[in-house]
């Protein structure tokens, strides 16, 4: 047992005990190195002495310590000291989902989906690192005072379930999957089943399977059909109903195969609650109820050693002929039977079961003498009758009521429980007898009165008086600087807790909000303040140049930045791809700033104009033939015309692809005989 003020590892100062469970006690502590509060889970003595368990416990806890997610209670440290073993975890101020459901009765559809999505995100982060929780239940889900949902105890259940421990340590059987109840292979789909049961409880305020023992509940998980949650929550949308039913299929192959699939449907349900989009694969579960074999029942019973109501001798394998009662267990055997034979087997099994039940009831009744005499001789008959009368008399036997004066409620409850009596408690102020607070000063029936088992005893207990408490008016520090707000709070005799958020409207360093905002609190209470970090900063990602504009625009907008596009030609960058960004990659800017993205139009296309001439320099010239050719367009001009010596010939051609070409010509006399020729490279001018 740790006490307030003790130190663990010369670092964690115990502030107080905040809870206890089947395997551990939980304490709130102050981490003096990092200046934060943490929760420390300390193994109880009976587990600390089991070396194999401790090794597995530490291994699983260290594995889970690698998980970091907003919806997971993070593990910070694992260690041992002075014979006890502990885990240091994130401290979350809030209540468990179990308590929240109990307070509200049942949750609304939207609230249930919101919580389920946050839980699923945490489970998904663990599954992505191959960590299966194995014990998803409302008791392991915490809702913080800020409304955030966090899952705790990741990885711990694996260490627990691999050891022989009592059923209360192994987690609540109300949420366990059929394969887990059967002690079979467990994977991520087992967590999905458990989350389905949690969702069922959120929307209905009850669990689908319940019973007096863990074995009874486990059997229901294995073979009972689940009553639809819509039967208890009549306003439940069909999408949520189908999601829960798909999660809770007894065959893992018919459930969601991953948390990602479940998350997709949960998000869709928020937008289209009344749309029937959930698909549940058909399977054998729509057929006759499955029967549990004696071996399976014995295996389940071994998981719950505290259930005294179930005696393994009642399920002796020798009492059953597996081939006759349970049939062939191999796959496909059921399909080989014709419908008439299946109907006969079912009727026969029901009849056998009814006979067994009647025999058991008769034997019990016979033992209690409820069915009169049953003997072969007069002496035996007389003896049986006498025993029956004794039993009857013992059940109605009266005895004197004990004196409870001065006892505490716990002491009285124990005393009355041993006598087979019930207790009803009333609290009052005791001004006459001056009985100490918390003790009984009056009872009904009084001591000495004759009572019998099953009676209820009403006791009056001295009400504990509350110490006088000084209340302090909550100061309003919104708008003050952080240092000023802290001083104001401390001057009032209060404590503060600071968190930081970005704000577009409040200057950095000033208080955005506080909780509580008004009213009165007791001395030493904590005021939570949220301080502005100014406008949120964003770093321009690197390597944006050369990527498609569509992808770059999406990336920047997801960071909360505005995008403005500028376009220009580039011989090096493909069309619609990014040439550059401004501000440059790596620069830090305020969220909401504008980033200019220069986008390529591709290589620029130019056209050219040919406007040239050449002079005829031949005495007997009568005609000339000339040709203009470019590398891209080929021959663009071919012409023959009559000329005279000294005449100038003009060659023109527009919209050419190249900036130059070749001009070739031949001069002929009147007889058509070539008398001169020439060739030259001509440079063109770029068209506007």
């Amino acid at each position: 047992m740790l006490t307030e003020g003790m130190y663990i590892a010369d670092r964690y100062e115990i502030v107080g005990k905040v809870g206890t469970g089947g395997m551990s006690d939980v304490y709130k502590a102050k981490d003096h190195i990092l200046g934060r509060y943490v929760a420390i889970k300390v193994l109880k003595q009976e587990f600390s002495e089991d070396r194999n368990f401790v090794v597995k416990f530490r291994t699983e806890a260290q594995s889970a310590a690698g998980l970091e997610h907003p919806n997971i209670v993070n593990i910070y440290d694992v260690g041992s000291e002075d014979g006890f073993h502990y885990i240091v975890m994130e401290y979350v101020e809030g209540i468990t989902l179990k308590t929240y459901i109990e307070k509200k009765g049942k949750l609304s559809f939207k609230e249930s989906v919101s919580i389920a999505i946050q839980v699923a995100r945490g489970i998904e982060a663990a599954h992505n690192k191959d960590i299966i929780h194995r014990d998803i239940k409302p008791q392991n889900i915490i809702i913080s005072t800020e409304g955030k949902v966090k899952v705790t105890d990741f990885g711990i259940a694996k260490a627990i379930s691999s050891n022989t421990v009592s059923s209360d340590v192994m987690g609540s059987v109300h949420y366990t999957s059929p394969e887990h109840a059967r002690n079979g292979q467990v994977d991520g789909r087992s967590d999905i089943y458990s989350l389905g049961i949690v969702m069922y409880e959120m929307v209905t305020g009850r669990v689908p399977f319940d019973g007096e023992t863990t074995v009874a509940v486990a059997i229901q998980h294995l073979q009972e059909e689940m009553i639809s949650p819509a039967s208890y929550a009549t306003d439940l949308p069909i999408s949520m109903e189908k999601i829960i039913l798909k999660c809770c299929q007894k065959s893992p192959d018919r459930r969601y195969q991953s948390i990602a699939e479940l998350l997709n449907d949960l998000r869709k349900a928020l937008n289209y609650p009344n749309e029937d989009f959930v698909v549940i694969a058909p399977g054998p579960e729509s057929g006759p109820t499955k029967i549990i074999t004696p071996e399976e029942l014995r295996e389940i019973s071994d998981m719950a050693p505290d259930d005294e109501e179930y005696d393994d001798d009642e399920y002796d394998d020798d009492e059953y002929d597996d081939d006759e009662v349970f049939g062939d267990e191999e796959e496909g055997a059921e399909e080989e039977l014709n419908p008439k034979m299946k109907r006969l087997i079912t009727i026969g099994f029901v009849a056998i079961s009814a006979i067994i039940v009647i025999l058991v009831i008769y034997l019990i009744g016979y033992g209690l003498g409820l069915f009169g005499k049953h003997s072969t001789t007069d002496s035996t008959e007389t003896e049986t009758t006498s025993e029956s009368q004794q039993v009857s008399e013992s059940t109605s036997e009266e005895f004197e009521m004990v004196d409870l004066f001065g006892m505490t409620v716990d002491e009285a409850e124990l005393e009355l429980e041993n006598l087979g009596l019930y207790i009803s408690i009333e609290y009052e102020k005791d001004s006459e007898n001056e009985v100490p607070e918390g003790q009984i000063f009056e009872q009904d029936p009084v001591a000495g009165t004759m009572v019998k088992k099953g009676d209820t005893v009403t006791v009056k207990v001295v009400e504990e008086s509350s110490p006088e408490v000084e209340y302090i008016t909550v100061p309003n520090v919104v708008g003050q600087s952080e240092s000023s707000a802290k001083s104001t709070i401390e001057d009032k005799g209060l404590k503060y807790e600071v968190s930081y958020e970005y704000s577009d409207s409040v200057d950095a360093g000033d208080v955005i909000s506080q909780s509580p905002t008004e009213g009165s609190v007791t001395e030493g209470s904590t005021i939570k303040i949220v301080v502005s970090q100014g406008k949120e900063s964003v770093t321009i990602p690197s390597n944006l140049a050369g990527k498609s504009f569509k992808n770059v625009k999406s990336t920047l907008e997801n960071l909360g930045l505005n995008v403005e596009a500028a376009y220009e030609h580039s011989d090096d960058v493909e069309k619609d791809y990014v040439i550059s960004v401004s501000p440059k990659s790596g620069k830090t800017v305020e969220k909401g700033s504008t980033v200019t993205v220069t986008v390529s139009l591709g290589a620029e296309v130019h056209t050219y104009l040919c406007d040239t001439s050449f002079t005829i320099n031949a005495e007997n010239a009568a005609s000339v033939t000339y040709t203009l050719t470019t590398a891209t367009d080929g021959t663009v001009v071919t012409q023959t015309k009559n000329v005279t010596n000294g005449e100038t010939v003009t060659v023109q051609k527009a919209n050419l692809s190249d900036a130059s070409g070749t001009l070739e010509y031949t001069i002929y006399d009147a007889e058509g005989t070539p008398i001169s020729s020439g060739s030259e490279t001509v440079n063109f001018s770029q068209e506007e």
Side-chain angles (χ1 to χ4, degrees):
M1 170 78 69
L2 302 180
T3 57
E4 184 176 348
M6 288 182 61
Y7 273 76
I8 297 178
D10 294 326
R11 172 177 181 175
Y12 307 108
E13 180 186 5
I14 301 299
V15 174
K17 189 174 181 180
V18 295
T20 186
M23 71 168 186
S24 62
D25 296 315
V26 184
Y27 299 84
K28 181 180 179 181
K30 179 69 177 292
D31 181 350
H32 283 280
I33 292 181
L34 297 179
R36 64 184 177 187
Y37 287 105
V38 296
I40 299 183
K41 181 168 287 191
V42 180
L43 274 180
K44 288 185 176 179
Q45 189 64 32
E46 59 264 36
F47 299 107
S48 296
E49 294 173 352
D50 186 339
R51 178 176 175 80
N52 290 332
F53 175 79
V54 170
V55 170
K56 293 173 182 176
F57 182 80
R58 287 173 60 91
T59 300
E60 293 304 322
Q62 288 167 348
S63 174
L67 293 174
E68 289 186 8
H69 192 273
N71 298 117
I72 292 177
V73 176
N74 297 310
I75 295 177
Y76 298 141
D77 193 11
V78 182
S80 58
E81 184 170 300
D82 297 332
F84 63 84
H85 304 273
Y86 62 87
I87 301 175
V88 182
M89 312 168 72
E90 174 187 3
Y91 177 74
V92 181
E93 188 172 343
I95 61 174
T96 66
L97 177 58
K98 186 70 174 179
T99 302
Y100 189 63
I101 294 172
E102 289 171 350
K103 286 185 175 182
K104 298 195 71 173
K106 61 181 179 180
L107 311 185
S108 68
F109 159 69
K110 286 190 176 180
E111 190 173 24
S112 299
V113 174
S114 175
I115 291 173
I117 287 175
Q118 293 184 67
V119 172
R121 286 172 180 163
I123 297 174
E124 183 182 44
H127 286 188
N128 288 341
K129 292 197 174 183
D130 297 323
I131 295 176
I132 311 302
H133 192 290
R134 299 167 183 261
D135 196 17
I136 293 295
K137 57 185 179 181
Q139 295 90 328
N140 281 338
I141 299 168
I142 301 175
I143 302 176
S144 72
T145 51
E146 290 82 17
K148 294 181 180 177
V149 180
K150 291 176 177 282
V151 186
T152 188
D153 278 359
F154 268 101
I156 308 303
K158 183 177 181 182
I160 298 169
S161 60
S162 61
N163 285 264
T164 303
V165 294
S166 60
S167 58
D168 60 332
V169 177
M170 290 187 64
S172 175
V173 73
H174 291 95
Y175 309 92
T176 194
S177 66
E179 61 270 25
H180 200 179
R182 194 183 284 112
N183 206 19
Q185 183 67 33
V186 173
D187 58 21
R189 295 172 296 181
S190 181
D191 285 350
I192 291 174
Y193 181 96
S194 299
L195 179 53
I197 302 292
V198 172
M199 288 190 284
Y200 189 107
E201 187 174 1
M202 283 195 289
V203 299
T204 66
R206 60 191 295 166
V207 290
F209 303 121
D210 204 0
E212 295 182 357
T213 66
T214 54
V215 172
V217 178
I219 290 173
Q220 291 179 63
H221 280 293
L222 287 164
Q223 67 179 26
E224 292 290 330
E225 289 298 323
M226 174 185 286
I227 296 175
S228 171
S231 299
Y232 302 114
T234 55
D235 58 345
L236 186 68
I238 188 171
S239 59
M240 190 60 168
E241 178 190 10
K242 296 285 286 289
I243 287 172
I244 293 172
L245 293 175
K246 184 169 183 177
C247 287
C248 297
Q249 293 295 304
K250 299 192 186 302
S251 168
D253 293 335
R254 298 185 67 206
R255 301 175 203 151
Y256 291 98
Q257 297 303 292
S258 70
I259 287 289
E261 291 181 13
L262 172 57
L263 277 168
N264 285 337
D265 277 4
L266 285 171
R267 294 185 180 110
K268 190 172 182 180
L270 279 176
N271 295 321
Y272 310 100
N274 297 313
E275 185 175 324
D276 188 6
F277 57 83
V278 178
V279 178
I280 302 177
E285 293 181 20
S286 59
T289 301
K290 298 178 181 177
I291 304 301
I292 300 176
T293 66
E295 292 82 357
E296 289 176 326
L297 188 56
R298 188 183 303 282
E299 202 168 318
I300 296 168
S301 298
D302 290 341
M303 296 171 63
D306 294 335
D307 291 339
E308 297 176 358
E309 294 89 343
Y310 287 83
D311 184 352
D312 284 346
D313 293 338
E314 292 180 24
Y315 301 94
D316 191 341
D317 293 349
D318 294 336
E319 295 183 16
Y320 298 90
D321 183 345
D322 290 349
D323 292 334
E324 291 179 9
V325 180
F326 298 101
D328 188 356
E329 294 181 359
E330 293 183 1
E331 275 188 50
E334 185 176 271
E335 284 77 359
E336 294 173 4
L337 300 175
N338 61 47
K340 185 175 294 184
M341 182 64 70
K342 288 169 65 178
R343 194 158 49 246
L344 288 174
I345 290 175
T346 302
I347 294 171
F349 178 77
V350 172
I352 293 171
S353 300
I355 292 169
I356 291 173
V357 171
I358 292 170
L359 286 173
V360 170
I361 293 173
Y362 177 78
L363 290 174
I364 293 172
Y366 176 83
L368 295 175
L370 300 178
F371 299 115
K373 305 173 185 177
H374 182 77
S375 61
T376 56
T377 66
D378 293 341
S379 60
T380 305
E381 179 178 337
T382 303
E383 184 180 345
T384 303
T385 303
S386 175
E387 289 176 358
S388 176
Q389 289 172 347
Q390 290 175 9
V391 171
S392 177
E393 289 171 0
S394 66
T395 57
S396 60
E397 182 181 353
E398 293 187 341
F399 54 90
E400 285 190 7
M401 179 61 201
V402 297
D403 188 2
L404 303 176
F405 184 85
M407 289 187 182
T408 65
V409 172
D410 290 341
E411 291 169 342
E413 284 180 337
L414 181 60
E415 181 75 19
L416 295 178
E417 183 180 344
N418 291 334
L419 294 173
L421 300 174
Y422 297 98
I423 188 170
S424 173
I425 305 169
E426 297 177 0
Y427 289 91
E428 291 184 8
K429 293 182 179 179
D430 177 43
S431 58
E432 297 179 0
N433 297 311
E434 297 184 354
V435 176
E437 294 177 354
Q439 293 184 10
I440 295 172
F441 67 90
E442 190 177 311
Q443 68 184 75
D444 181 24
V446 297
T449 304
M450 300 305 291
V451 295
K452 59 179 180 292
K453 288 185 179 181
D455 287 351
T456 298
V457 180
T458 301
V459 298
K460 293 185 178 180
V461 183
V462 180
E463 184 178 8
E464 297 183 14
S465 59
S466 301
E468 292 187 7
V469 179
E470 181 181 352
Y471 288 93
I472 299 170
T473 301
V474 175
N476 183 5
V477 296
V478 175
Q480 295 183 18
S481 66
E482 180 180 354
S483 59
S484 175
K486 289 178 178 178
S487 298
T488 301
I489 293 171
E490 287 180 329
D491 290 345
K492 288 280 189 177
L494 303 173
K495 299 176 182 178
Y496 58 81
E497 185 177 304
V498 184
S499 60
Y500 299 91
E501 290 182 3
Y502 292 104
S503 173
D504 294 335
S505 57
V506 180
D507 293 337
D510 290 348
V511 177
I512 302 171
S513 62
Q514 68 179 71
S515 177
T517 57
E518 56 185 17
S520 299
V521 294
T522 57
E523 184 178 1
S525 296
T526 299
I527 307 298
K528 296 181 179 181
I529 60 174
V530 180
V531 178
S532 172
Q533 292 178 286
K535 293 185 177 180
E536 186 175 355
S537 298
V538 178
T539 301
I540 307 295
S542 59
N543 303 322
L544 296 180
K547 294 184 177 179
S548 73
F549 173 61
K550 180 180 179 181
N551 289 341
V552 170
K553 185 174 185 290
S554 176
T555 298
L556 295 175
E557 287 179 342
N558 288 338
L559 292 173
L561 299 172
N562 298 318
V563 177
E564 184 178 278
Y567 295 90
E568 64 180 49
H569 291 283
S570 172
D571 294 334
D572 302 318
V573 180
E574 187 179 346
K575 183 180 179 182
D576 295 328
Y577 280 70
V578 174
I579 299 173
S580 62
V581 294
S582 178
K584 295 182 179 179
S585 295
K587 292 288 185 180
T588 300
V589 297
E590 289 183 353
K591 195 171 183 178
S593 298
T594 298
V595 178
T596 302
V597 180
T598 303
V599 185
S600 173
L601 292 171
E604 188 174 5
V605 178
H606 297 289
T607 58
Y608 298 89
L609 170 67
C610 173
D611 187 4
T612 188
S613 63
F614 63 93
T615 303
I616 302 300
N617 190 14
E619 288 186 359
N620 298 322
S623 64
V624 63
T625 298
Y626 59 88
T627 302
L628 179 64
T629 305
T630 69
T632 301
D633 300 327
T635 301
V636 294
V637 175
T638 297
Q639 190 170 354
T640 300
K641 62 182 298 185
N642 295 327
V643 295
T644 58
N645 186 31
E647 184 177 340
T648 298
V649 179
T650 300
V651 181
Q652 292 181 327
K653 183 64 178 177
N655 200 30
L656 299 175
S657 300
D658 299 314
S660 63
T662 302
L663 178 65
E664 298 177 316
Y665 58 88
T666 302
I667 302 172
Y668 300 90
D669 60 13
E671 302 297 330
T673 301
I675 57 176
S676 178
S677 64
S679 175
E680 61 180 273
T681 299
V682 180
N683 293 321
F684 308 148
S685 60
Q686 184 175 315
E687 292 182 323
E688 295 296 331

